[in-house]
Amino acid sequence: MLIRPETAGAAPPGVDPDAFLAAVAEDTYEVIAGLELVRPVILHTGLDELANEIAWPGTPVIGLPPGGPVLARAFAALRPYGDEAVVVAGDAPDLPPLLVGKLLRELGRAPVTVCPAEDGTAVAVAARLPLPDWAAVELDEADIVRRLRAAAPGRRMVATGPGWHRLRRPADIHRLDPGLEGWEGTRALLSAATGAR
């Protein structure tokens, strides 16, 4: 899971941005940490204290070095942990775990698989490691699936799974599904601040 300071900017009015970032990151991490047969790793850009605070015992916490596309840096950091990896954006607190499993399954037929977000970015990207050079894009690029497919050397090199949503702007909280289990921290924070959930 990749957490970044930019998530704080999605806090709706009346919600403390730092508390929002922490709640969303922790809820997203718990989705990943609860998966079977997956080793969770927290990647971050400048959020060492928060990353270590939310990590369960034994979870590696890795600060990404600056420079270059964030996905390339993330996958390079995950190389010591296996031959396949999924980078999940840390702003998807209600992500159904099944979607991560589907990305991993799709790696059987394509070296890169994407869970697209409703805004054209990616909720998660899975890849066989090392990440191919042509797949070094930014997680937040618009039309990420189209860009990856245009850069790939073959037509079937990029697969997609079902899409989801991310919390990138204050209005995005309306995309959260109150019927889904999980995301307790985000739910409690929004409920206390706005009374909406």
Side-chain angles (χ1 to χ4, degrees):
M1 181 191 75
L2 174 63
I3 58 174
R4 294 180 289 173
E6 292 85 346
T7 301
V15 176
D16 177 75
D18 291 335
F20 181 81
L21 168 61
V24 168
E26 184 168 16
D27 285 344
T28 307
Y29 167 69
E30 289 186 359
V31 170
I32 307 307
L35 291 169
E36 292 184 19
L37 305 175
V38 172
R39 180 173 187 187
V41 176
I42 298 178
L43 307 166
H44 68 87
T45 55
L47 293 171
D48 193 59
E49 185 176 340
L50 173 60
N52 280 290
E53 183 179 305
I54 66 174
W56 294 357
T59 297
V61 173
I62 302 170
L64 296 180
V70 70
L71 268 184
R73 289 182 281 147
F75 280 114
L78 294 172
R79 185 66 184 97
Y81 297 95
D83 297 326
E84 299 177 343
V86 182
V87 175
V88 178
D91 54 12
D94 64 338
L95 179 67
L98 180 63
L99 297 188
V100 178
K102 287 186 175 184
L103 284 183
L104 288 168
R105 187 173 34 217
E106 288 295 313
L107 288 180
R109 68 181 187 97
V112 175
T113 64
V114 181
C115 172
E118 293 173 348
D119 63 1
T121 64
V123 177
V125 176
R128 297 180 203 149
L129 300 179
L131 182 71
D133 290 341
W134 54 263
V137 297
E138 292 289 358
L139 194 65
D140 293 340
E141 279 189 45
D143 299 322
I144 191 169
V145 172
R146 183 186 59 77
R147 289 174 185 264
L148 281 168
R149 286 184 171 153
R155 288 181 24 200
R156 299 175 189 245
M157 304 292 279
V158 180
T160 58
W164 198 247
H165 51 256
R166 297 172 58 191
L167 303 184
R168 299 186 64 222
R169 290 175 268 314
D172 291 342
I173 64 161
H174 299 295
R175 293 178 169 165
L176 292 167
D177 187 338
L180 289 176
E181 293 182 9
W183 64 281
E184 284 87 1
T186 305
R187 192 187 315 256
L189 181 67
L190 294 175
S191 177
T194 66
R197 294 189 182 271

